[in-house]
Amino acid sequence: MRWARLMAALRPYCTTTALTDAAADVWRALAPQDWLQAFEAHPRIGASLTAPGSRAATWSTNEQAGAAAAAADEKRELERLNDEYEARFGHRFIVCASGLSADEMLSRLRSRMIGSAADELATAAAEQAKITGLRLHKLLAELAEA
């Protein structure tokens, strides 16, 4: 992935702030096709990654805990709206799901269905940047504990 290659080329990072600022700057400078490639690495809201036990799968599961705790009808609605969203915009729905309930995720999914494709791509990219920032902090915390 281009983002990872660019981030590696900018090393070393002397502070957490330098790392997270660079991550955000590099992300914003990427082309839309790079964003779309990153989106494909995410499970759909309400789904699991296919590599259980990996750090990414664990983080994703924790971030989507609100969807996992959803009632059966909410899970069906998440699946239906994910399908509708992907058909409309041509990419996966990306939301920083940490701390969100299934109802909040559904609300965000519904509200984002009405925008233009360009606006939605920018919104999804901004959500991906939030996720990346959170995960960088999680990674650094794990490494500090090791």
Side-chain angles (χ1 to χ4, degrees):
M1 181 173 144
R2 191 162 172 248
W3 177 85
R5 287 192 306 274
L6 292 169
M7 289 297 295
L10 293 172
R11 290 178 300 171
Y13 300 99
C14 297
T15 65
T16 299
T17 300
L19 173 64
T20 56
D21 287 352
D25 292 344
V26 168
W27 179 254
R28 281 190 299 272
L30 293 176
Q33 64 263 24
D34 298 312
W35 295 342
L36 294 170
Q37 181 186 25
F39 298 167
E40 287 303 311
H42 284 275
R44 295 170 108 201
I45 292 298
S48 300
L49 281 174
T50 57
S54 71
R55 180 178 278 139
T58 299
W59 290 343
S60 180
T61 299
N62 292 339
E63 291 160 359
Q64 291 197 39
D73 60 325
E74 288 176 313
K75 288 180 180 180
R76 283 190 300 276
E77 184 68 354
L78 278 169
E79 186 174 340
R80 185 187 72 75
L81 287 174
N82 272 311
D83 290 342
E84 189 177 321
Y85 178 96
E86 289 177 20
R88 176 174 159 88
F89 296 111
H91 61 83
R92 191 157 291 153
F93 174 70
I94 302 295
V95 65
C96 185
S98 291
L100 298 181
S101 68
D103 188 53
E104 289 168 314
M105 289 180 222
L106 281 166
S107 176
R108 291 184 189 200
L109 221 170
R110 286 184 190 108
S111 70
R112 287 176 46 192
M113 293 290 283
I114 61 172
S116 71
D119 288 344
E120 182 50 32
L121 181 61
T123 299
E127 291 293 306
Q128 173 67 48
K130 290 180 201 174
I131 295 165
T132 300
L134 288 172
R135 289 183 179 183
L136 285 172
H137 284 285
K138 288 176 190 175
L139 176 61
L140 292 173
E142 286 180 10
L143 293 174
E145 290 175 6

